[in-house]
Amino acid sequence: MKTTTRFSETLLGSVSLDGHERGMRLDLDVETDEPLLPWRTVHAKANGRIRVTGLTDDSTVTADLEISPVKRRRIRYRLSFNAGGRRLTLDGWKSVTALRPVASMTTLPFSLHEDDGTIAGSGTLHFPLSTSLVPFLRSFRFLRHFAPIAAHAHMAPRWNGEAGRTEVWYTTLTDPVTGTGIWLHHEVVAPTDGSPAFAHGWVAVFPRDHRPQHARFGPQPWGEPANGFVTDAIDALPGRLAGTVEDFSWELTEHGTQAPLFTFPAWSWRHALLPAAQMLPSGHSTYTGTFRFGATTLSLTDAPGASARIYGHGNARRWAWLHAELGNGDVLEVVAATSMRPLLRHLPPMVFLRLRRGTAMWPRRPERTAVGWAGWRRFRADLGLPKWTVTGRAGLRRIRVEVTQPSHHTVSLKYEDPDGGIAVCNNSERSDARIVLEQWRGGWRTEAEWTLDGTAHAEVGHR
């Protein structure tokens, strides 16, 4: 694990280029290669956007920064951008001095260079304290980066013999060749009346051109294995999924490629303080092996998906769930739910949303989407079928998630909660999703947009 620092910065000013004085704006998202401490020399990479009036609006800027305000008394910027068919390089630094600390830390004189090194122009950028200081301070994040770990880190059973508990291991994936979605659900239920715990579950397949099929297994007594979920014919073990039930059989190896993703706060998973909590042992996994249903055999190679865990007192009164593979290992995980607890059951759904892009997580803490710090219900869910939505804002970003679960690609299943009540889930591993992430830069601007056609994994359920 290593710790880095991330922040965003906006600089405004002008540049003298080709005999013209032009307005200029530079927006950068910066991440250092180690914790940002002022007495050190720290190097950083940045991506952003540069705008020069009448010349360029380049949103593909990459920059290198040397941040050394005490040791070398400077903060140096070097970046390249396209301008009217030319490739220009900006090179400049803030010369930090104790006599004028504020002015020196907020003023960036620079020169522009052509590809051959000749000077093309010069200018000065300023950090406007009145408009940019608060967003700058709010953007600071100290991030912990985890090395990829195996998906078995959180596969061990949590149930300790208490009555009124349910524990779930479930896996969803998409065959990249045929577009077929697969759902494996393994569950342990400990009834509230003290009856012996039992294991049950199901397997479902969602072909591209046919209606989904499924088969159930159990109930049968829970044998309390040392790791994972194990019954007579079904295994969900670290790195391995196997089973046979009716016309279905599967033998899959699972390779987790990311650190765990805690959809709910990590403390709620570790200490079981909420009515239920969900997490992914690996935010993204790949699956290789065979999956058979009827006369069809799928040979899977590096099929994308994920396994997840749930532990709690049973299902919510109503809920929605989404797992969206966004490409390059980026994922979006959403759970929106209204609890069965007497004081909570009449409230709107509480949203837990985690967007992982590269090594960055947004929002920084899962509590932000559930309760927020700048107002109740910053994130909202409108649940229904075949369409449901989640919208919300945290800091200088906002998101809109629109999910469609086609009726012909959705399977509805009933099952029993620990209190004997019946829950109904409507699941589709061939859902559609449109996700729009926007950032505030003097106005809302689209930062990223994803459209998933039949590859989103989604569910809506109720008690």
Side-chain angles (χ1 to χ4, degrees), residues 4 34 40 62 98 100 110 115 135 154 161 171 199 217 233 254 296 319 334 336 362 385-386 405 413-414:
T4 63
E34 58 182 297
R40 291 181 177 176
T62 58
R100 300 173 61 245
F110 64 89
D115 277 343
H154 296 276
T171 299
F217 54 87
E254 178 182 55
T296 302
W319 72 89
V334 179
W362 179 84
L385 285 174
Q405 298 184 210
L413 297 175
K414 296 182 180 180

Side-chain angles (χ1 to χ4, degrees), residues 42 65 95 137 143 155 160 219 223 225 255 267 277 280 295 315-316 323 334 374 394 407 415 441 449 451:
V42 177
L65 276 70
S95 298
L137 295 175
L143 307 174
M155 287 293 287
N160 59 6
H255 177 59
W267 53 259
L280 282 66
N315 287 282
H323 177 79
V334 179
S407 59
Y415 52 105
R441 294 181 182 272
E449 185 172 356
T451 299

Side-chain angles (χ1 to χ4, degrees), residues 270-343:
R270 297 188 181 106
H271 305 294
L273 298 178
L274 297 180
Q278 185 255 21
M279 61 84 64
L280 282 66
S282 172
H284 169 78
S285 297
T286 59
Y287 300 84
T288 298
T290 57
F291 184 92
R292 300 180 179 87
F293 60 103
T296 302
T297 298
L298 299 177
S299 296
L300 306 175
T301 301
D302 293 333
S307 289
R309 299 294 318 282
I310 300 173
Y311 185 68
H313 295 263
N315 287 282
R317 186 182 184 197
R318 57 188 180 124
W319 72 89
W321 160 79
L322 171 71
H323 177 79
E325 298 277 343
L326 307 178
N328 299 317
D330 296 346
V331 296
L332 173 68
E333 192 81 7
V334 179
V335 174
T338 297
S339 172
M340 286 292 294
R341 296 290 177 87
L343 296 178

Side-chain angles (χ1 to χ4, degrees), residues 170 172 174 258 261 278 280 283-285 304-306 321-335 353-357 388 399-403 428-429 431-435 450-459:
Y170 71 90
T172 59
T174 299
Q258 291 185 355
L261 191 157
Q278 185 255 21
L280 282 66
H284 169 78
S285 297
W321 160 79
L322 171 71
H323 177 79
E325 298 277 343
L326 307 178
N328 299 317
D330 296 346
V331 296
L332 173 68
E333 192 81 7
V334 179
V335 174
L353 181 149
R354 312 297 283 142
L355 174 62
R356 176 178 281 170
R357 302 173 67 192
W388 56 276
I399 196 169
R400 180 173 181 82
V401 182
E402 301 175 352
V403 181
S428 175
E429 305 307 320
S431 295
D432 304 325
R434 182 171 182 266
I435 303 155
W450 301 271
T451 299
L452 284 70
D453 182 9
T455 61
H457 307 160
E459 180 176 294

Side-chain angles (χ1 to χ4, degrees), residues 55-121:
L55 184 64
T56 188
D57 185 352
D58 189 347
S59 60
T60 62
V61 170
T62 58
D64 294 294
L65 276 70
E66 178 194 76
I67 306 172
S68 186
V70 174
K71 189 174 183 179
R72 297 183 178 178
R73 297 193 298 278
R74 72 179 187 184
I75 303 174
R76 185 171 185 174
Y77 295 70
R78 185 175 176 85
L79 59 96
S80 297
F81 62 96
N82 293 309
R86 303 153 67 186
R87 188 69 176 171
L88 298 176
T89 298
L90 181 152
D91 189 12
W93 55 85
K94 301 172 182 175
S95 298
V96 182
T97 171
L99 297 177
R100 300 173 61 245
V102 175
S104 63
M105 288 282 288
T106 59
T107 304
L108 173 65
F110 64 89
S111 57
L112 292 181
H113 301 264
E114 302 277 5
D115 277 343
D116 60 5
T118 59
I119 296 179

Side-chain angles (χ1 to χ4, degrees), residues 21 52 54 74-75 138 149 181 193 209 233 298 319 391 447 455:
E21 194 76 16
V52 180
R74 72 179 187 184
I75 303 174
R138 287 175 58 187
I149 64 171
D193 62 7
D209 300 321
L298 299 177
W319 72 89
T391 57
E447 180 179 349
T455 61

